[in-house]
């Protein structure tokens, strides 16, 4: 998976596989190496997805994306509002 961005489903699947490999006696580093991920990636995914089912994780990612779009929209509208206020005052 080097250089590729994993989907939420893939990340959850890999987390489960690491747990299985650890249960078979492999260390975390060996398990991650076998699945072509870094331990940093494992810990990052574990922090985000360890308690989520794939459906909940997909919904969470979709909400994060929508939230980012809404924040961008609010920022643009706030900028437009500030410009209009300046123009209405005559200080342009």
């Amino acid at each position: 998976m080097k250089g590729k961005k994993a989907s939420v489903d893939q990340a959850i699947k890999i987390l489960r596989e690491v747990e299985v490999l650890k249960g078979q006696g492999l260390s975390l580093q060996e398990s991650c190496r076998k699945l072509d991920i870094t331990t940093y990636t494992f810990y990052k995914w574990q922090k985000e997805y360890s308690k989520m089912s794939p459906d909940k994780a997909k919904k969470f990612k979709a909400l994060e994306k929508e939230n980012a779009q809404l924040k961008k929209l609010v920022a643009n509208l706030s900028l437009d509002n500030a410009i209009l206020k300046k123009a209405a005052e005559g200080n342009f």
Side-chain angles (χ1 to χ4, degrees):
M1 296 191 88
K2 293 180 182 177
K4 295 181 184 177
K5 191 165 188 164
S7 70
V8 176
D9 288 338
Q10 290 171 330
I12 292 173
K13 182 180 176 189
I14 289 172
L15 285 174
R16 303 286 185 259
E17 289 178 22
V18 168
E19 293 302 320
V20 168
L21 291 173
K22 283 173 56 181
Q24 294 174 351
L26 291 176
S27 69
L28 177 64
Q29 290 79 14
E30 291 170 339
S31 301
C32 290
R33 193 175 305 122
K34 188 172 185 175
L35 296 171
D36 288 333
I37 63 169
T38 63
T39 53
Y40 173 78
T41 302
F42 171 78
Y43 286 123
K44 185 174 81 170
W45 286 348
Q46 187 180 36
K47 183 179 174 185
E48 279 188 60
Y49 308 124
S50 65
K51 304 294 183 206
M52 289 187 193
S53 67
D55 294 336
K56 285 185 180 180
K58 278 184 184 179
K59 189 181 271 188
F60 177 70
K61 280 296 187 183
L63 288 173
E64 279 186 333
K65 186 176 180 181
E66 182 182 359
N67 192 26
Q69 290 172 342
L70 290 172
K71 283 183 178 182
K72 193 175 189 180
L73 183 64
V74 167
N76 287 336
L77 289 173
S78 297
L79 182 62
D80 290 345
N81 191 14
I83 291 171
L84 289 172
K85 282 183 180 180
K86 284 285 186 186
E89 291 173 358
N91 298 332
F92 47 92

